[in-house]
Amino acid sequence: MKTRRKFIKESLTLAAASQLPLNLNATNMEKTIEPVVISTWRHGLPANEASWKILDIGGKAIDAVEAGVRVVESDPNTRSVGLGGLPDRDGNVTLDACIMDETSNAGAVCFLQNIENPISVARLVMDKTPHVMLAGEGAFRFAIESGFKKTNLLTEASKKDWKKWTETSDYKPVINIENHDTIGLLALDKNGDLSGACTTSGLAYKMHGRVGDSPIIGAGLFVDNETGAATATGMGELVMKTIGSFLVVELMRQGATPQEACEEAVMRIVKKLDYKDLQVGYLALNKKGEIGAYAVHPGFNYALMKQAENKMYDAISYVKS
Ligand code: SD4
């Protein structure tokens, strides 16, 4: 006959077991996190694919974001990032890039010339130096000493467009140029960690020496692994004056959804600055894998990859048409 104590013990064990899957072990008790990668403009599609290859096999978000944007930097047909980027008004291709990881570590380069993959130089600034940003000649020297190759980034096509522009030298930023802009890319890996990367040749025909928001941590990109990540594209001056990406992440920290945070950051521009002929678009990604996208004007689009599906979406905007 069972003692009362033995009966209770057996019943409890049975009850507990019935709540649990049969093949329970330490590994499948861990929650699986679905990776997400989101990036600006149509050139985000191939970038997302490259990032996904790393995320899908359980790689780190920081490696995924670097690998993703490198694809766009090395594509001569993307006329606004890396190789083939449109030059400044004097014919120099000058590049800006930054990267930030889940430990709040960050690296950046600005006004860098003759290096095809500035994002990887930014990664090395982050990993191998006590600094966050290297500029111009110093960044170039650091890149060469680190084994990067000197490359002429001004392709024939970009040279031709620049020569044509010099006929009038009329400088006016264009609100949206589909297929033709900065790449900002944010990723969430299977470990639940966030990272981001942002890289550009900046505004076409800018003044020599002009640096935009894209290499500025907090402006073009910000990552806080407790909360979320954000990146910006468009007229860097508006983003810098409002510290846009930091603002988006900070709003998420205070409880905003990624979408609400992007909208509020755009409203900050709309309320304070002359936005009439200027575009800015924000992307945000939080720890739960939720995303946000919003722009000042229509025309901003982005590539989102999750569950192995990579698709373009149009962002909504403050100005409706
Ligand atoms: C810049 N934000 O240099 C970059 C360029 C860009 O649309 O995204 N252009 O201001």
Side-chain angles (χ1 to χ4, degrees), residues 209-232:
R210 182 265 186 188
V211 169
D213 61 313
S214 304
I216 310 290
I217 296 296
L221 176 75
F222 196 70
V223 177
D224 184 327
N225 204 41
E226 285 172 17
T227 306
T231 191

Side-chain angles (χ1 to χ4, degrees), residues 263-313:
E263 292 185 14
E264 179 57 30
V266 164
M267 288 315 294
R268 197 67 60 93
I269 291 172
V270 166
K271 279 185 209 144
K272 289 185 180 283
L273 303 169
D274 181 4
Y275 64 91
K276 293 283 185 304
D277 293 324
L278 303 172
Q279 175 67 307
V280 169
Y282 287 113
L283 294 180
L285 171 64
N286 71 10
K287 282 293 266 188
K288 292 190 241 168
E290 297 163 336
I291 63 115
Y294 199 63
V296 176
H297 296 275
F300 172 45
N301 57 18
Y302 62 93
L304 173 64
M305 189 158 188
K306 52 184 190 178
Q307 293 174 337
E309 192 181 49
N310 196 14
K311 275 171 62 178
M312 288 304 299
Y313 296 85

